[in-house]
Structures are given as C-alpha cells and as structure tokens.
Amino acid sequence: MAFVTRFAPSPTGPLHLGHAYSALLSHDMARAAEGRFLLRMEDTDLDRCKPEYDALIQDDLAWLGIAWDGPIHRQSQHIKDYNTRLEALERAGLLYPCGCSRSDIRAALSAPQEGVAFNVYPGTCRNRPMASRQPGDALRLDLDAALNALSTSDLSFTETGPAHAGQNRVDPAQARRQIGDVVLSRKGEDIVAYFLASAFDDADQGITHVIRGQDLFDFTPVQVILQHLLGLPTPTYHHHALIRDDQGKRLAKRDDARAMSKYRAEGATPQDIRSLVGL
Ligand code: GLU
C-alpha cells in the first residue's frame, strides 16, 4: 500500500524539539514504508508567517537529516483552490458570516456552560444569512447543518497512534461540545483558515497517512466532516505523544529555550536530538 505523509509546520516561529520529533517520526515512518515524505508550509496567516522562519525550518530539517520529496507545498500559493471549496460549502448552505471579536465570544461565554470548552464558538451569529456578510466578517461552518447534510454513520477514521488506536467514529455530540462552528475563512481577507486548507491539501497532495501531535486529535472529526462534504478521501491518522518541558507543559513556538537553533548553537548533534526525543 502506498504511504505518503507530510510535515506541515506553520512558519510563525522557529522549530522546537516537539516539531523535530514530529518531523523525524513522520520522515522515519515514510522511509520505513518506502513511501514519500512531503513538506507543506501552512502559511496562510499572512500577519504571523515570516519568510525567515520558512528558511530556518528548511535549514533545521536538512540539519536533522530530513530530506523531503518533491517541491515544498506552500498554502499561500493555493488560496484559489481553497476558495473554490469554500464557495461549494456556501452554495450548500453550510456557512454563515460572523463578526464576533474574541472578546464578544468571551462575553457570550461568561456564564459558564457545562461541557463547553472555552474556545467553542457559542453560535451568536448562526442565524445570519450569507447576504448579510460585512467586509470584516469571518465565515464559519454551521456544524449542525453539516452533520444534517451527511450520513453520520459514515464518519469515521482509522487511527494508528498510541492513545486512540483503531477505528474512531465521529461523535456528533462530542464534536458540538469540543469543536463547534469553526472559522473556515478569516476576517478581513479571503484567506482560508487551517481546517479547510489542511483537509483539502491532504487530499490534494495524496496524503495517505497524517502523522502529527496528539493535540490535534480532538479536531480530526471536523476534518473528516469537511472531507465528506467535499468528496475527499480520509487518510489514516497517527497522533503521536507530545514532547513536554520539564514542568510537563507542551512546548510552544515561544519556548525559545527548546528552539532547534539553540541546540545547534550549543553544539548538539542530530543524534543528540533523536536521543532527546526518544527516537
Ligand atoms: N500547521 C500545524 C501546526 O504547525 C500542523 C497541522 C497538521 O499537521 O495537520 O501545528
């Protein structure tokens, strides 16, 4: 069976040890399967993505001994493809415009709702028609409408990662509670947000195996839902454990102490990095 995987960093900061683990693991798995390992820059956030991080990521990967197959896929060069898919979702009546700011959302959630995670959108704008879209509005996926448009019994994905290995079914109630109406196109510009761009690209790049951090497991259902809405295949998923800092916190881009460039400057070797992440 063909094995095609990808490493998909957002060039919004330097790679840290957690990214190195993800990249090395997916690269090693592709090579072991005699498959392909692709590099995708998730650079649709024009404010936060920087060419110098794009270059640094390539440099760090090469230093780690990671060679990617084919040209780099940059999402910023595929905006037209995403917008075509966005229009299809709009025609199907699955999107609505949303002008809520982060603080509006916080205020709407200030009375704690049981089981509603903080970042799940409370649905304030859900009944707004598309015709009311203002220039600064984001577009959200109406999750209930999407679930109604699909046969939910078909919504499943195979997971090979340690925490949820096996066949995973998308649970609509859990998706409402954990994910809700995600933003598919961001405010201000016709820029597609992560969920749609990534679901589309995995199909476009022929990805058979998505290997990424456990933090994205809970969001996989929305990508499976988007794949079904757009007639795209669902890859096999492998969510790996996260590399944590000494306090047990997951590493973030701002944790410069764990930046690959810092280890390199201190004279670490690629083998030291492999040992540090347990490979
Ligand atoms: N761009 C995402 C990140 O850097 C990864 C998304 C994915 O692998 O699906 O966290």
Side-chain angles (χ1 to χ4, degrees):
M1 184 196 166
F3 190 109
V4 185
T5 190
R6 80 317 191 260
F7 177 56
S10 305
T12 55
L15 289 190
H16 60 54
L17 210 53
H19 298 113
Y21 174 57
S22 204
L24 286 165
L25 180 68
S26 42
H27 172 264
D28 289 1
M29 284 172 73
R31 295 292 171 249
E34 294 181 17
R36 284 164 60 76
F37 172 82
L38 309 181
L39 178 59
R40 176 162 89 220
M41 293 291 180
E42 301 209 318
D43 60 349
T44 57
D45 188 339
L46 302 179
D47 292 336
R48 292 173 57 228
C49 292
K50 301 266 179 300
E52 46 283 25
Y53 290 132
D54 186 309
L56 184 61
I57 288 170
Q58 293 181 56
D59 195 50
D60 282 342
L61 291 176
W63 178 79
L64 282 167
I66 292 177
W68 53 92
D69 297 308
I72 299 175
H73 178 106
R74 288 197 174 75
Q75 290 190 325
S76 56
Q77 292 164 3
H78 296 264
I79 302 295
K80 250 173 121 175
D81 288 333
Y82 310 139
N83 279 326
T84 305
R85 271 56 193 193
L86 202 60
E87 284 158 17
L89 297 176
E90 178 181 345
R91 277 197 304 277
L94 302 176
L95 304 183
Y96 62 86
C98 170
C100 294
S101 65
R102 278 179 210 279
S103 55
D104 290 337
I105 296 171
R106 217 168 291 141
L109 287 174
S110 61
Q113 298 176 49
E114 207 184 317
V116 178
F118 177 71
N119 58 353
V120 174
Y121 181 62
T124 319
C125 293
R126 192 174 295 139
N127 295 321
R128 278 183 57 192
M130 278 300 292
S132 72
R133 188 181 189 190
Q134 300 297 314
D137 286 346
L139 293 180
R140 287 186 185 272
L141 177 72
D142 183 334
L143 182 65
D144 276 328
L147 289 166
N148 287 335
L150 296 169
S151 163
T152 47
S153 57
D154 295 343
L155 299 176
S156 64
F157 59 97
T158 303
E159 168 73 34
T160 60
H164 299 91
Q167 194 68 8
N168 284 255
R169 216 156 257 303
V170 172
D171 173 352
Q174 195 174 13
R176 282 184 198 102
R177 207 166 55 237
Q178 287 183 334
I179 309 173
D181 294 352
V182 291
V183 168
L184 294 189
S185 176
R186 275 196 304 270
K187 267 186 155 131
E189 292 154 86
D190 271 338
I191 294 286
V192 167
Y194 164 69
F195 291 109
L196 179 57
S198 154
F200 175 76
D201 281 342
D202 284 336
D204 193 40
Q205 293 188 280
I207 302 300
T208 61
H209 291 75
V210 170
I211 300 160
R212 61 185 183 185
Q214 181 61 37
D215 52 330
L216 290 167
F217 177 81
D218 286 348
F219 297 101
T220 305
V222 76
Q223 289 178 321
V224 173
I225 288 167
L226 288 169
Q227 288 151 5
H228 281 255
L229 292 173
L230 297 170
L232 306 172
T234 296
T236 295
Y237 288 88
H238 183 103
H239 291 90
H240 59 72
L242 300 177
I243 303 290
R244 298 186 180 273
D245 68 11
D246 302 336
Q247 279 79 49
K249 243 179 54 241
R250 79 170 266 239
L251 299 179
K253 285 245 168 62
R254 58 193 171 279
D255 289 329
D256 285 347
R258 298 295 194 289
M260 291 303 302
S261 41
K262 184 106 190 296
Y263 286 103
R264 289 174 62 179
E266 285 167 358
T269 65
Q271 198 47 52
D272 293 335
I273 302 295
R274 281 188 172 270
S275 312
L276 272 172
V277 298
L279 283 173

